[in-house]
Coordinates of all heavy atoms in Angstrom, one line a residue:
D30 N 207.1 163.0 37.6 CA 207.2 163.7 36.2 C 208.2 162.8 35.4 O 207.9 162.3 34.3 CB 207.6 165.0 36.2 CG 207.7 165.6 34.8 OD1 206.6 166.1 34.3 OD2 208.8 165.8 34.2
H31 N 209.4 162.6 36.0 CA 210.4 161.8 35.3 C 211.4 161.3 36.3 O 211.5 161.7 37.4 CB 211.0 162.6 34.2 CG 211.8 163.7 34.6 ND1 211.3 165.0 34.7 CD2 213.1 163.8 34.9 CE1 212.2 165.9 35.2 NE2 213.4 165.2 35.3
I32 N 212.2 160.3 35.8 CA 213.3 159.8 36.5 C 214.6 160.1 35.6 O 214.5 159.9 34.4 CB 213.2 158.3 36.8 CG1 212.1 158.0 37.7 CG2 214.5 157.8 37.4 CD1 211.9 156.6 37.9
G33 N 215.6 160.8 36.2 CA 216.8 161.2 35.5 C 217.9 160.1 35.6 O 218.2 159.6 36.7
I34 N 218.4 159.7 34.6 CA 219.5 158.7 34.5 C 220.8 159.3 33.8 O 220.7 159.8 32.7 CB 218.9 157.4 33.7 CG1 217.7 156.9 34.4 CG2 220.0 156.3 33.6 CD1 217.0 155.7 33.7
T67 N 220.1 166.3 27.2 CA 219.1 165.5 27.7 C 218.2 164.8 26.6 O 218.3 165.4 25.5 CB 218.0 166.2 28.6 OG1 217.4 167.1 27.8 CG2 218.8 167.0 29.6
F69 N 214.5 162.6 26.2 CA 213.3 162.2 26.9 C 212.5 161.1 26.3 O 212.3 161.1 25.1 CB 212.3 163.4 27.1 CG 212.8 164.4 28.1 CD1 213.6 165.4 27.8 CD2 212.5 164.3 29.4 CE1 214.1 166.4 28.8 CE2 212.8 165.2 30.4 CZ 213.7 166.2 30.1
E78 N 214.3 160.6 31.6 CA 215.3 161.7 31.2 C 216.7 161.2 31.1 O 217.2 160.9 32.3 CB 215.2 162.9 32.0 CG 216.1 164.0 31.7 CD 216.1 165.2 32.7 OE1 216.0 164.9 33.9 OE2 216.4 166.3 32.2
L80 N 220.6 161.9 30.7 CA 221.5 162.9 31.0 C 222.9 162.7 30.7 O 223.5 161.6 31.2 CB 221.5 163.4 32.6 CG 220.2 163.6 33.1 CD1 220.1 163.3 34.5 CD2 219.8 165.1 32.9
H101 N 220.0 159.1 38.7 CA 220.5 160.4 39.1 C 219.6 161.2 40.1 O 219.9 161.7 41.1 CB 221.0 161.2 38.0 CG 221.7 162.6 38.3 ND1 220.9 163.7 38.2 CD2 222.9 162.9 38.9 CE1 221.7 164.8 38.6 NE2 222.9 164.2 38.9
H102 N 218.4 161.3 39.6 CA 217.3 161.9 40.4 C 215.9 161.6 40.0 O 215.6 160.9 39.0 CB 217.5 163.5 40.2 CG 217.2 164.0 38.8 ND1 218.1 164.1 37.8 CD2 216.0 164.4 38.2 CE1 217.6 164.6 36.8 NE2 216.3 164.7 36.9
I103 N 215.1 161.8 41.0 CA 213.5 161.6 40.8 C 212.9 163.0 40.7 O 213.2 163.9 41.6 CB 212.9 160.7 41.9 CG1 213.5 159.4 41.9 CG2 211.4 160.6 41.6 CD1 213.0 158.4 42.9
A104 N 212.1 163.3 39.7 CA 211.5 164.5 39.5 C 210.0 164.3 39.8 O 209.3 163.5 39.3 CB 211.7 165.1 38.2
F105 N 209.5 165.2 40.9 CA 208.1 165.4 41.2 C 207.4 166.5 40.5 O 208.0 167.7 40.6 CB 207.9 165.4 42.7 CG 208.4 164.2 43.4 CD1 209.4 164.2 44.2 CD2 207.8 162.9 43.1 CE1 210.0 163.1 44.9 CE2 208.3 161.8 43.8 CZ 209.4 161.9 44.7
G132 N 214.9 174.5 33.6 CA 215.4 173.3 33.4 C 215.0 172.8 32.0 O 214.4 173.6 31.2
A133 N 215.2 171.6 31.6 CA 214.8 171.1 30.3 C 213.3 170.8 30.3 O 212.6 170.9 31.4 CB 215.6 169.8 30.1
D134 N 212.8 170.6 29.1 CA 211.4 170.2 29.1 C 210.4 171.4 29.5 O 209.4 171.1 29.9 CB 211.1 168.9 29.7 CG 209.9 168.2 29.3 OD1 209.5 168.3 28.1 OD2 209.3 167.4 30.1
V138 N 212.6 174.5 37.8 CA 213.0 173.3 38.8 C 213.8 173.8 39.9 O 214.5 174.9 39.9 CB 213.9 172.4 37.9 CG1 213.3 171.8 36.7 CG2 215.3 173.0 37.5
F140 N 216.2 171.7 43.1 CA 216.6 170.5 43.4 C 216.6 170.5 45.0 O 217.0 171.5 45.7 CB 217.9 170.2 42.9 CG 218.0 169.7 41.5 CD1 218.0 170.6 40.4 CD2 217.7 168.4 41.1 CE1 217.9 170.3 39.1 CE2 217.6 168.0 39.8 CZ 217.8 168.9 38.8
E152 N 214.1 166.3 42.4 CA 213.8 167.6 41.6 C 212.4 167.9 41.6 O 211.5 167.0 41.6 CB 214.2 167.3 40.1 CG 213.8 168.4 39.2 CD 214.1 168.0 37.6 OE1 214.9 167.2 37.4 OE2 213.4 168.6 36.8
L153 N 212.0 169.1 42.0 CA 210.7 169.7 41.9 C 210.6 170.4 40.6 O 211.5 171.1 40.3 CB 210.3 170.6 43.0 CG 210.6 170.2 44.4 CD1 210.4 171.4 45.4 CD2 209.7 169.0 44.8
C154 N 209.4 170.2 39.8 CA 209.4 170.8 38.6 C 207.9 171.2 38.4 O 207.0 170.6 38.7 CB 209.8 169.9 37.4 SG 208.9 168.4 37.2
Ligands
ZN229 ZN1 215.2 166.1 35.7

Side-chain angles (χ1 to χ4, degrees):
D30 183 83
H31 64 270
I32 294 175
I34 298 175
T67 68
F69 285 88
E78 174 187 36
L80 303 150
H101 178 259
H102 64 271
I103 298 182
F105 299 115
D134 201 26
V138 302
F140 284 92
E152 174 187 337
L153 307 174
C154 62

